[in-house]
Amino acid sequence: MPRYLLAVNFESGVVDTPMEEWKPEEITAHLDYYKALNEELVESGELVRTEVLAGPDLAKIVTSDGTAPVVTDGPFQEFKEWLAGYQIVDVDSEARAIEIAARVSAVPGPGGRPTQQPIQVRQVMDEAPSDVAEMEGYLQTAGGRR
């Protein structure tokens, strides 16, 4: 079965209120929703892994020329583009991955209103490209010129 990464950024969706201003019961409902969804996906055997990442203020950028690494605190993307966490699901189809992503997007925010947070759905490759032809094929599906 194909595996998909469901990536959650700090982008807020339709909610304008920062979480720091939510009522405690709204945060509890938000977290309980994620917990119930994850438990359901574990029971169905579809959840491979889920992780919440530390905040962007603790991130580092590492570059290297093959000798000593250079570690910096930036520059970084906009806050809303930072990866907050992810799930990896092992499902029968892309349609099922999208169905799960839609449920993640509907996590409640203030007043119980679905946040409609954008969720990026990307298939996990079975194997990384191992030769020139495979890399060229991969680059054709990666989209856009760099």
Side-chain angles (χ1 to χ4, degrees):
M1 290 195 304
R3 291 174 296 141
Y4 289 86
L5 171 78
L6 310 181
V8 179
N9 291 346
F10 281 98
E11 195 169 349
S12 62
V14 299
V15 174
D16 293 329
T17 307
M19 191 175 274
E20 295 85 10
E21 297 176 18
W22 293 13
K23 298 174 185 168
E25 60 270 18
E26 293 170 335
I27 295 172
T28 298
H30 183 87
L31 297 174
D32 287 350
Y33 180 94
Y34 275 126
K35 182 179 178 186
L37 177 58
N38 286 343
E39 287 173 356
E40 179 184 323
L41 295 173
V42 166
E43 284 182 27
S44 70
E46 294 173 304
L47 185 62
V48 174
R49 185 172 189 96
T50 186
E51 296 291 343
V52 176
L53 302 177
D57 56 327
L58 299 177
K60 303 287 186 235
I61 303 256
V62 178
T63 57
S64 177
D65 63 2
T67 57
V70 177
V71 181
T72 62
D73 290 332
F76 295 123
Q77 304 145 318
E78 290 185 45
F79 183 73
K80 68 180 182 179
E81 297 169 339
W82 274 93
L83 187 63
Y86 66 89
Q87 295 171 302
I88 296 178
V89 294
D90 191 354
V91 293
D92 291 327
S93 65
E94 180 180 21
R96 176 63 179 146
I98 289 171
E99 179 183 323
I100 295 168
R103 292 185 60 198
V104 173
S105 177
V107 64
R113 182 173 160 214
T115 63
Q116 298 179 46
Q117 184 177 23
I119 306 301
Q120 187 179 140
V121 178
R122 296 184 59 188
Q123 187 169 0
V124 176
M125 296 177 65
D126 291 327
E127 294 181 19
S130 62
D131 60 32
V132 173
E134 288 178 2
M135 182 56 80
E136 287 174 347
Y138 170 75
L139 292 173
Q140 288 177 359
T141 66
R145 290 199 159 253
R146 300 214 175 245

